[in-house]
Amino acid sequence: MNFQGTMSLANNTLMHPEMFYISGFYDMPFANYFYMFLLVLYIFTVFFNGFVILLIYLEQTFHNPKYIAFCHLALVDLFTTTSLTPKLIDTFLFNSNFITYNACLANMFFVHFFTSVQSLSLVMLAYDRFIAICLPLHYHSINTNSRMMLIILSFWLLTGGTSSISVLLITRLSFCRSTVVKSYFCDNGPVFRLACNDVYPNLIMGFISIALFLFMPLMIIVISYIAIGITLLKIATAEGRHKALKTCTSHIMLVAMYYLPLAYTYFAGQFASISYNTRILNNTLCTTVPPMMNPVIYTLKTEEMMDLLKQVLRKKKLKTRRSNK
């Protein structure tokens, strides 16, 4: 592997490689079929999320805080899977495992940025459900369009700042040994662990990112649902409790689908040995399956969305009948 020095001082020279090698799965049978599966997932993800964004944009009645949150989730899902899947398929299906140093940093930034925003988007949906169930009389005064947009902007600024710091900390590292990244993309942890100088700042930033974008969002969501559960117990009728709970089940499914596998990988990795392929397989599915399922489970199943789709189908049937006559 050829290296180029970015500084020419004797003992403090930073050595940045021209290329990194993304190793991916190690001797996993039928790996190519898995990458084809990811391609199919990506196509459906683009279609479903694109459809949701277009529908919300065109329908004026959906221009409210609830559907702004839905649209934002669909947009982030689209960006998340696009930042990862095309490069993943190109890397392993077409044997393009080498990636330039600068392209690696860009890949690292965008994947971590959008996965972090995706995590915070689930918090925003929990916030919307909390206000709707626990403070229903104040919902429209608290949860306005402008406030929802402000929350979205703060999420993007927070994740952009932390992702930028993580990438900038990589640039201070020298890579004088292996340049084989044991992951399916230029993941921050596997990359900085290849360095031969002090990685302590990178390690601290890694823990901060995990706390900010994995455990803190999950904790906020759990606390919000504890409050929702207490409120539901105060509802007099079983029918009222069931109706209120029904609005939360889809979100709970999304939270479980996204956070539980990631939390399992993190905790199991601390206390037990997880095989290299298992960790990559689990993390890959966590970042590719939820973006496809989110619009199907959450947005397209809402009563308003179903009513709109029924209206569109009825109009289409009437036009077909008229044209046949």
Side-chain angles (χ1 to χ4, degrees), residues 101-119:
Y101 176 81
N102 289 331
C104 180
L105 296 185
N107 179 243
M108 181 188 299
F109 173 83
F110 285 113
V111 173
H112 285 298
F113 174 76
F114 288 119
T115 52
S116 298
V117 177
Q118 186 183 38
S119 177

Side-chain angles (χ1 to χ4, degrees), residues 242-300:
H242 176 72
K243 186 177 180 180
L245 184 62
K246 188 179 177 182
T247 64
C248 300
T249 51
S250 296
H251 181 252
I252 293 171
M253 289 174 65
L254 299 188
V255 169
M257 188 168 57
Y258 181 80
Y259 287 110
L260 291 183
L262 290 175
Y264 165 77
T265 301
Y266 179 80
F267 280 118
Q270 300 300 311
F271 303 106
S273 176
I274 302 178
S275 73
Y276 173 71
N277 283 347
T278 301
R279 180 174 61 82
I280 291 183
L281 181 65
N282 184 61
N283 289 345
T284 307
L285 292 176
C286 283
T287 49
T288 54
V289 174
M292 185 197 73
M293 297 302 297
N294 287 349
V296 178
I297 293 174
Y298 202 68
T299 310
L300 294 175

